[in-house]
Amino acid sequence: MFAGSLSEKKALRYTPAGVPVVEGRVTHASEQIEAGLKRKVECELGVVALGETAKLLNAAQPGQNLRITGFLAARSRNSRQPVLHVITIEFLEGNENAQTLWQA
């Protein structure tokens, strides 16, 4: 699970098979305990959503807080950089109970 905010997203596109795709980046910042000490943690991660989750991610605005579940995979055969493939999205702002809005 990844909780953070949407920092950028590309335009909605379609695969040759007609499946909607949205790519973007999410940022995370928090304080964690490591070896008994507080540590400030910040990171940014690429995301990709397909199908109905792509339509939901496309509706999100940059800066919007969300919680994403999914799996990590290499960006491509030529790039081993990890990308989070979105399975579920929860929009945390404007959603009193942080309900899951889509689950594949």
Side-chain angles (χ1 to χ4, degrees):
M1 181 181 345
F2 185 95
S5 64
L6 183 64
S7 55
E8 72 178 65
K9 68 174 179 173
K10 295 181 180 176
L12 177 70
R13 65 180 177 85
Y14 291 85
T15 67
V19 178
V21 179
V22 171
E23 296 180 70
R25 298 195 69 72
V26 291
T27 58
H28 169 84
S30 66
E31 280 193 0
Q32 301 295 321
I33 303 296
E34 183 177 37
L37 302 171
K38 283 186 181 180
R39 177 180 176 189
K40 187 173 182 177
V41 177
E42 296 179 9
C43 67
E44 187 175 69
L45 185 62
V47 295
V48 62
L50 286 90
E52 291 301 315
T53 53
K55 293 177 184 177
L56 287 171
L57 189 59
N58 189 53
Q61 299 300 314
Q64 189 166 9
N65 290 327
L66 38 85
R67 184 177 300 130
I68 296 173
T69 61
F71 60 92
L72 291 173
R75 178 170 293 286
S76 67
R77 282 189 229 176
N78 299 327
S79 172
R80 305 313 296 167
Q81 181 179 4
V83 175
L84 179 61
H85 288 251
V86 179
I87 301 297
T88 65
I89 296 176
E90 295 177 61
F91 294 95
L92 303 180
E93 292 176 1
N95 187 357
E96 295 175 8
N97 299 317
Q99 297 171 352
T100 301
L101 298 178
W102 176 259
Q103 184 168 349

